[in-house]
Each structure stands twice: as structure tokens, then as C-alpha cells.
């Protein structure tokens, strides 16, 4: 993949034979260097948006020719590992931000410290692309989690304000819970998606991802247990993806949910008559949310100059706003994000921009997947009642200590 396209070589030879060297030199001048990108987005709209941006880049300069290839998310990590061993990697990847540190530690990504200015970017997304004070990537775009609530259900229950604290959240959820409606839901799968949704509760106590067997960690697990035991959150959340949670919300089976801004285009399309709003995730000691989204990473030893040139183009405001709009994302560049949503219709996005100020990255740590597994097992044990919060926390902590110490 790290090859320079020789699109004019045959034409050059033919020109020499015909004595038209001048025409051949013109063709040779049009030769472009290849820049290959891997990404894992399955959504057709995301793929089309990326291809449109790439086409515009290819047409506005004569040095590089960018192409993008889809690699399924389930195979992405394996393909990167195999490609590294076989020296068959692309020049640029767009990958899930929690995985960034793991591959940076393997030496796959180029050090771009000082080669790209991230001074205006949110700290959390930049942290996800940084390892040992070295910048190994650029945030593509970001998202985070916030609290959605059904305003019609709030009005019917006589609730006038979104909850701001855990106590208020529990009380509000109780008021909204009926035989057919759960007051609250968030994805609690025993995987990274579930960890993504649990960490805001952990971090809100002031505990870090590596301190689950602490006063704060046990408090977060206990709060989740209370949500389930009180009947305001269904144990079915351990089987629901974030998309499933959204479907329960738009179907009227859930009054409040924790979810991300990427759901907004779908909700507006599939449930245009649903009345809802967004608020910050209620807090314990402090507001908290988890950062999601993807990062760009330049492959070490590939066409690094070409990849960086494309990045300079792709991170300009016009291109960023185009991609973020198509994907329901927020720019990781604070200056762009501040102006990204200006209409009244975009007010719900603006709440996510506010939430980003309190959002943290998962990791960055090369062994983050193992830490995440320990965390997701702990809250699943608590939700299902197979372990008390204290026991689940102790078990998870033992695993985490073995990883990070």
C-alpha cells in the first residue's frame, strides 16, 4: 500500500517512442503519490461523506491521490496487527479513540508532535491520541454522553426541571416510572459500549477508572444497583446497545436515557413528533461524561507527508463542519465547535458541547481493553445481583491492579 502510483509510466514510454517527449513529461508531472486510509464506519452516510471530502481534496491539488477502504469494526484491530507484521498498512487510519494508545505503544503510529497544532482542541480527545507526552494522532471528531428526557412525560408528571444530582435523578425517575415505562435507561452491555456508559457515574464521584474499589467506585456501583432495585431501570439494559436504548426511548418505553448526539439525526427522522430535550448527566461530586469518537493516526513509515497534508485539509473548518453535520458529531476543535451549532434547532447539540467540558477520555492506556473488561464485569454483576457492589469492586480492582501496577 505504500507505493507511489506510476500512472504516467506507460504514457512516458510511448511518448519516447513517438518522439513526443514534451507530452510525456507533462503526463509524468501529473503523477500523484498514493495515500491510503482505513476506516470502520458501516453507516452509508458516513462513508459517502468521507468519500466526498476525499474527492474534493484530490481535485484541489496535484501531489497526492487519497483513497479510503472500509474494514469492519470487528476486524479492524486484527487487520492492523496483521498489517504491521506483514508491512502492509495504509498511510492513515481513522480508529476508535480508546484503542489509540494500544497501537501507539506498538510503534505503529508516527510521532507527529510539533507537526500538527492541537492547541485549540478539547483536552480529552487530545489525551486519547497522546501517550507518554507524545502526540500520535489528531482527533477526527468527538461525541459524549448526556441525559435525554421526554418533555411530555415530564409535563404529565408535573416535573418542570431536568434533574441535576443523583438524588434528583432517582426521585425524578421514580415519578416517571409506571407499569409500562421505565424512568431511566442506559446501555449496560458487558463490553466497551457498556463501560462507555458507566464511567460517567464512576468519574462523577471523583474516582478514576483505576480506582473502582474506592469510596467513589463503590458509591457508583451502589447507585446503579439502587436504580435497578427501585424499579426505575430495567435489568434488560445489560442486553441493550445504545441504539436499543434509543429505540426504547422513541417508543415511549423509557422516559429518560443516557445517550450520544449521533442519535439525534435518527430520532428526528424516525420520531419527528416526539418531544424531548437534553441536559447534563446528573452529578454526584462533579459533572462527568465520557468522550467517544474517532482519531486520525498517521502510520509510521508510510507516506507520512501525504497523510499530514490530507490532515491539514481535513481539519479545516469547512471540512470539519461538513463531516460533523453528516455524522451527528461535535468538532474536537473547541473554536470550531463553538460556532458549529448556531440555530435554535441546534440547541440540543449545544448541550453536548457544554457536556464536553466535563468529559474524559477512557485511558489513555495501552491495556485499556483489559481494564474496561474488569469494569464492565463489575457493573454487570451488580445489576444482575450476582455480586454486591463491594465484592464486585474488589474483584475488578484486583484485575486492574495487575494491569496498571
Amino acid at each position: 500500500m505504500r507505493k507511489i502510483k506510476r500512472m504516467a509510466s506507460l504514457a512516458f514510454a510511448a511518448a519516447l517512442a513517438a518522439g513526443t517527449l514534451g507530452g510525456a513529461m507533462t503526463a509524468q508531472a501529473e503523477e500523484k503519490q498514493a495515500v491510503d486510509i482505513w476506516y470502520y464506519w458501516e453507516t452509508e452516510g458516513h462513508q459517502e461523506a468521507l468519500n466526498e471530502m476525499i474527492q474534493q481534496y484530490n481535485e484541489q491539488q496535484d501531489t497526492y491521490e487519497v483513497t479510503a477502504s472500509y474494514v469492519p469494526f470487528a476486524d479492524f484491530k486484527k487487520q492492523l496487527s496483521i498489517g504491521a507484521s506483514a508491512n502492509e498498512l495504509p498511510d492513515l487510519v481513522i480508529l476508535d479513540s480508546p484503542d489509540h494508545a494500544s497501537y501507539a505503544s506498538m510503534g505503529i503510529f508516527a510521532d507527529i508532535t510539533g507537526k500538527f497544532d492541537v492547541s485549540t482542541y478539547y483536552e480529552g480527545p487530545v489525551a486519547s491520541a497522546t501517550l507518554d507526552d507524545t502526540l500520535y494522532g489528531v482527533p477526527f471528531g468527538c461525541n459524549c454522553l448526556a441525559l435525554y428526557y421526554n418533555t411530555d412525560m415530564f409535563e404529565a408528571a408535573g416535573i418542570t426541571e431536568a434533574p441535576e444530582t443523583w438524588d434528583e435523578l432517582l426521585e425524578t425517575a421514580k415519578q416517571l416510572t409506571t407499569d409500562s415505562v421505565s424512568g431511566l435507561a442506559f446501555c449496560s452491555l458487558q463490553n466497551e459500549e457498556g463501560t462507555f456508559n458507566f464511567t460517567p457515574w464512576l468519574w462523577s464521584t471523583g474516582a478514576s477508572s483505576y480506582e473502582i474499589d474506592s469510596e467513589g467506585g463503590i458509591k457508583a456501583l451502589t447507585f446503579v444497583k439502587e436504580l435497578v432495585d427501585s424499579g426505575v431501570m430495567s435489568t434488560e439494559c445489560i442486553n441493550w446497545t445504545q441504539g436499543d436504548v434509543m429505540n426504547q426511548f422513541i417508543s415511549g418505553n423509557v422516559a429518560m436515557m443516557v445517550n450520544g448526539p449521533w442519535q439525534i439525526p435518527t430520532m428526528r427522522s424516525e420520531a419527528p413528533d416526539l418531544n424531548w430535550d437534553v441536559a447534563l448527566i446528573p452529578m454526584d461530586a462533579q459533572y462527568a461524561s465520557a468522550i467517544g469518537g474517532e482519531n486520525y493516526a498517521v502510520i509510521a513509515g508510510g507516506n507520512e507527508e501525504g497523510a499530514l497534508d490530507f490532515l491539514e485539509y481535513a481539519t479545516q473548518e469547512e471540512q470539519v463542519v461538513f463531516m460533523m453535520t453528516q455524522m451527528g458529531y461535535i468538532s474536537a476543535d473547541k473554536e470550531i465547535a463553538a460556532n458549529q451549532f448556531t440555530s435554535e434547532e441546534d440547541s440540543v447539540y449545544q448541550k453536548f458541547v457544554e457536556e464536553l467540558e466535563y468529559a474524559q477520555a477512557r485511558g489513555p492506556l495501552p491495556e485499556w481493553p483489559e481494564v474496561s473488561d474488569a469494569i464492565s464485569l463489575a457493573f454487570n454483576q451488580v445489576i444482575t445481583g450476582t455480586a454486591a457492589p463491594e465484592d464486585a469492586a474488589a474483584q475488578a480492582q484486583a484485575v486492574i491492579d495487575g494491569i496498571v501496577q
Side-chain angles (χ1 to χ4, degrees), residues 96-354:
D96 199 17
S97 57
D99 295 328
H100 205 119
S102 177
Y103 288 99
S105 70
M106 295 170 59
I108 293 177
F109 299 152
D111 175 2
I112 61 171
T113 307
K115 298 178 181 179
F116 196 95
D117 183 13
V118 292
S119 61
T120 60
Y121 283 57
Y122 289 104
E123 291 182 8
V126 173
S128 73
T130 304
L131 183 65
D132 297 331
D133 298 322
T134 302
L135 185 66
Y136 288 104
V138 177
F140 162 80
C142 59
N143 52 61
C144 61
L145 298 169
L147 182 74
Y148 288 77
Y149 58 98
N150 185 309
T151 54
D152 287 339
M153 290 184 182
F154 265 51
E155 183 177 352
I159 303 169
T160 58
E161 299 288 342
E164 296 181 358
T165 67
W166 286 7
D167 288 342
E168 291 177 3
L169 176 64
L170 181 59
E171 181 58 33
T172 300
K174 288 179 178 178
Q175 291 179 254
L176 295 167
T177 299
T178 67
D179 290 340
S180 59
V181 177
S182 294
L184 177 68
F186 58 85
C187 168
S188 299
L189 290 170
Q190 192 179 323
N191 61 16
E192 182 62 38
E193 193 174 0
T195 300
F196 180 49
N197 280 259
F198 174 74
T199 48
W201 310 105
L202 176 64
W203 296 336
S204 185
T205 69
S208 76
S209 304
Y210 316 111
E211 300 171 323
I212 195 164
D213 190 15
S214 63
E215 180 181 352
I218 294 172
K219 186 175 185 180
L221 290 170
T222 301
F223 181 65
V224 171
K225 174 177 170 58
E226 189 172 8
L227 291 173
V228 173
D229 289 350
S230 65
V232 305
M233 190 168 91
S234 171
T235 55
E236 280 301 305
C237 286
I238 65 171
N239 300 315
W240 289 348
T241 66
Q242 292 167 114
D244 294 331
V245 172
M246 177 200 66
N247 289 332
Q248 293 294 326
F249 182 76
I250 64 177
S251 297
N253 299 324
V254 168
M256 296 183 290
M257 70 169 179
V258 174
N259 224 315
W262 62 86
Q263 308 290 20
I264 293 174
T266 301
M267 290 172 60
R268 286 176 170 170
S269 173
E270 296 186 2
D273 297 327
L274 184 69
N275 296 314
W276 52 273
D277 206 344
V278 177
L280 299 180
I281 298 175
M283 68 174 181
D284 177 42
Q286 60 193 30
Y287 284 119
S289 185
I291 289 175
E294 287 80 30
N295 295 337
Y296 291 108
V298 177
I299 300 297
N303 188 347
E304 295 182 25
E305 289 187 6
L308 284 168
D309 190 80
F310 174 74
L311 279 183
E312 290 291 347
Y313 175 83
T315 53
Q316 293 173 8
E317 183 169 2
E318 182 179 354
Q319 280 67 249
V320 171
V321 171
F322 168 73
M323 292 298 295
M324 300 301 101
T325 301
Q326 299 302 308
M327 301 178 69
Y329 275 31
I330 300 166
S331 171
D333 186 326
K334 291 190 287 187
E335 293 184 351
I336 297 177
N339 300 314
Q340 187 179 340
F341 306 108
T342 56
S343 69
E344 184 176 344
E345 186 182 38
D346 288 335
S347 61
V348 289
Y349 282 107
Q350 293 167 359
K351 184 59 67 173
F352 282 97
V353 173
E354 180 184 353

Side-chain angles (χ1 to χ4, degrees), residues 327-396:
M327 301 178 69
Y329 275 31
I330 300 166
S331 171
D333 186 326
K334 291 190 287 187
E335 293 184 351
I336 297 177
N339 300 314
Q340 187 179 340
F341 306 108
T342 56
S343 69
E344 184 176 344
E345 186 182 38
D346 288 335
S347 61
V348 289
Y349 282 107
Q350 293 167 359
K351 184 59 67 173
F352 282 97
V353 173
E354 180 184 353
E355 185 80 89
L356 273 176
E357 296 289 347
Y358 309 105
Q360 301 180 39
R362 288 157 285 165
L365 183 76
E367 298 84 10
W368 174 255
E370 293 96 316
V371 173
S372 175
D373 287 345
I375 293 173
S376 66
L377 175 60
F379 64 73
N380 265 259
Q381 288 175 325
V382 169
I383 290 174
T384 58
T386 57
E390 294 81 3
D391 295 334
Q395 179 181 334

Side-chain angles (χ1 to χ4, degrees), residues 15-147:
L16 285 175
T20 56
L21 181 59
M25 291 179 68
T26 300
Q28 189 178 39
E30 295 176 356
E31 174 183 296
K32 288 189 172 185
Q33 299 178 35
V35 177
D36 300 298
I37 301 175
W38 284 359
Y39 67 91
Y40 59 73
W41 296 316
E42 296 180 355
T43 305
E44 185 176 350
H46 294 182
Q47 296 179 355
E48 291 175 350
L50 178 62
N51 288 332
E52 182 174 337
M53 180 173 66
I54 287 173
Q55 181 180 351
Q56 291 173 352
Y57 170 77
N58 288 339
E59 292 174 352
Q60 60 91 42
Q61 50 77 42
D62 298 321
T63 306
Y64 304 107
E65 183 75 16
V66 176
T67 57
S69 300
Y70 164 71
V71 178
F73 184 79
D75 298 330
F76 203 84
K77 298 178 184 179
K78 180 174 69 175
Q79 289 301 319
L80 272 179
S81 299
I82 293 173
S85 300
N87 199 31
E88 295 181 352
L89 288 169
D91 304 292
L92 189 68
V93 293
I94 304 174
L95 77 164
D96 199 17
S97 57
D99 295 328
H100 205 119
S102 177
Y103 288 99
S105 70
M106 295 170 59
I108 293 177
F109 299 152
D111 175 2
I112 61 171
T113 307
K115 298 178 181 179
F116 196 95
D117 183 13
V118 292
S119 61
T120 60
Y121 283 57
Y122 289 104
E123 291 182 8
V126 173
S128 73
T130 304
L131 183 65
D132 297 331
D133 298 322
T134 302
L135 185 66
Y136 288 104
V138 177
F140 162 80
C142 59
N143 52 61
C144 61
L145 298 169
L147 182 74

